[in-house]
Amino acid sequence: MIVVMEEGAAEAQVQAVIDRLVEMDFTVHRSTGVVHTVLGGVGPEDRVDPKEFEAMEGVRECHRIMSPYKLASRHFRPSGTVVDVKGVKIGGDEVVLMAGPCSVESQEQITRCAQIVAEAGGKVIRGGAFKPRSSPYSFQGLGEAGLAMLREAADACKLLVISEVMDAVQIPLLVKYSDILQVGARNMQNFTMLRELGKVRKPVLLKRGIAATIEELLLSAEYILSGGNYEIILCERGIRTFESYTRNTMDISAIPVVKKLSHLPIVADPSHGTGRREQVIPMARAAVAAGADGLLVEMHPDPDHALSDGAQSLRPEQLMELAGQLRTIASAVGRRM
Ligand code: PEP
Ligand code: MN
């Protein structure tokens, strides 16, 4: 249930609607926009007549939301959400570049990566310390030591940090070292962890699952939103199809679809989306042209010796070249980078 207040509705009028919703057993989520305050009520909406709310002072309109997700729906915040991570805004005019290696491997490697990302105009450095590998014999990440290296490298270059949280027990560590907590594709439906992330007051980047529909992605976001954490960035990272040439099939169409259905920002990860270095660049360009709010790209100073995902990691000079092209594309679609 969505209640849209009149422009300039008084605080007492907003409070009266909240009280009425609570009385009727709704959980209320408030979105205070520049023009309108919107109240999202999660509860027994089939038992409520929207006209009853429309008759209240200061209420402009009231609707039942038929989609299975309520707080992730565009109706909840029609103007869109801008996630502000220490001043870096994701979902606004600017297209934000996040780049770095698949895994943190050493202090030297991650420090070099941070310098390259900063030089390319990136705002966020990525790097996994807990790695979800298909084989238990593959490199699993450096854990807390890796997070500390990542933080040090980022701070030296004034970058923000994004890193993956693989399990709910790791949340405190990620909160300590990282500015954005990444939920990987394999964990998109780890509902226990999503609920825990709802209690955290740090931005979460939620990747689309390997076999997840867009609706399932938005329902996973709803788990986090319903816990009260509204700082969510969605990420298209390719889905599994019958095509075997690329590692996954990069679903560029998910970007405009998510923009229509949801207020949440969406970024694109063309590295996991294609799995091949030479395909990453064109897909990155396509994602920005399609309206992505940012890019998450793997880059390694020496990809041939990377401990994970070397084949899809850009070489430093490729990241530089891509960043230049993205600036041109961003301005052609009314954004900046
Ligand atoms: C990663 O970002 O390195 C990663 C493991 O991504 P995904 O969860 O999309 O496979
Ligand atoms: Mn990777």
Side-chain angles (χ1 to χ4, degrees):
M1 180 99 143
I2 292 284
V3 182
V4 184
M5 301 301 296
E6 294 280 11
E7 198 174 330
E11 193 49 40
Q13 295 173 331
V14 176
Q15 197 52 52
V17 176
I18 294 174
D19 292 345
R20 184 85 190 99
L21 282 165
V22 170
E23 229 173 78
M24 297 171 100
D25 271 345
F26 282 86
T27 306
V28 184
H29 296 262
R30 176 176 181 159
S31 162
T32 310
V34 185
V35 183
H36 297 284
T37 291
V38 178
L39 301 172
V42 180
E45 59 189 309
D46 44 327
R47 286 197 260 124
V48 175
D49 181 359
K51 288 199 191 69
E52 192 183 321
F53 283 92
E54 283 174 349
M56 292 180 76
E57 296 284 326
V59 173
R60 181 181 141 132
E61 54 198 294
C62 176
H63 307 281
R64 285 202 186 104
I65 299 296
M66 291 309 167
S67 65
Y69 45 86
K70 319 274 173 208
L71 305 174
S73 164
R74 168 83 41 192
H75 296 288
F76 181 55
R77 207 177 264 171
S79 57
T81 287
V82 178
V83 175
D84 188 330
V85 197
K86 295 182 174 167
V88 172
K89 296 186 169 69
I90 302 170
D93 297 343
E94 190 179 348
V95 178
V96 176
L97 178 62
M98 311 183 212
C102 179
S103 304
V104 179
E105 299 170 3
S106 66
Q107 187 66 66
E108 189 192 5
Q109 172 246 19
I110 199 68
T111 299
R112 184 74 200 108
C113 287
Q115 291 159 350
I116 298 160
V117 172
E119 204 184 317
K123 298 285 165 67
V124 184
I125 182 165
R126 61 149 292 149
F130 296 102
K131 296 304 302 176
R133 305 305 301 280
S134 299
S135 163
Y137 307 119
S138 303
F139 176 61
Q140 303 285 308
L142 297 180
E144 183 170 6
L147 288 173
M149 292 173 194
L150 180 60
R151 185 77 254 172
E152 185 179 325
D155 289 346
C157 293
K158 297 195 166 54
L159 295 170
L160 298 175
V161 166
I162 179 168
S163 199
E164 177 164 353
V165 53
M166 266 179 61
D167 189 285
V169 301
Q170 296 162 353
I171 292 175
L173 263 188
L174 270 295
V175 166
K176 178 173 171 198
Y177 290 102
S178 191
D179 300 302
I180 306 172
L181 278 55
Q182 173 176 323
V183 176
R186 291 158 192 80
N187 263 317
M188 189 201 85
Q189 290 189 316
N190 180 342
F191 301 120
T192 312
M193 185 166 86
L194 298 179
R195 281 208 188 281
E196 289 303 314
L197 289 168
K199 299 176 193 162
V200 165
R201 291 296 167 266
K202 274 227 168 165
V204 173
L205 180 137
L206 177 65
K207 286 191 163 196
R208 182 178 182 185
I210 288 167
T213 63
I214 294 170
E215 182 170 296
E216 286 164 340
L217 171 65
L218 295 176
L219 281 167
S220 288
E222 190 82 10
Y223 267 88
I224 306 173
L225 289 160
S226 61
N229 184 356
Y230 301 123
E231 312 279 23
I232 302 175
I233 304 151
L234 302 172
C235 179
E236 166 58 39
R237 49 79 72 206
I239 48 173
R240 192 164 280 182
T241 67
F242 53 80
E243 180 52 66
S244 58
Y245 185 84
T246 46
R247 181 177 177 182
N248 291 291
T249 295
M250 184 71 192
D251 182 8
I252 298 284
S253 70
I255 298 163
V257 172
V258 164
K259 286 272 160 210
K260 180 183 161 78
L261 298 179
S262 179
H263 56 89
L264 295 170
I266 178 161
V267 304
D269 171 353
S271 307
H272 295 86
T274 60
R276 288 168 169 250
R277 190 180 300 128
E278 79 268 22
Q279 313 299 351
V280 170
I281 293 176
M283 285 298 101
R285 296 190 295 232
V288 172
D293 296 302
L295 283 174
L296 185 64
V297 182
E298 288 185 342
M299 180 276 304
H300 195 289
D302 181 12
D304 301 330
H305 295 98
L307 294 183
S308 59
D309 286 349
Q312 68 192 30
S313 297
L314 297 184
R315 300 183 190 284
E317 61 277 14
Q318 289 179 304
L319 183 71
M320 298 295 169
E321 190 185 348
L322 174 63
Q325 294 172 346
L326 295 178
R327 276 189 268 280
T328 309
I329 296 168
S331 78
V333 295
R335 311 284 291 269
R336 66 193 163 80
M337 189 160 184

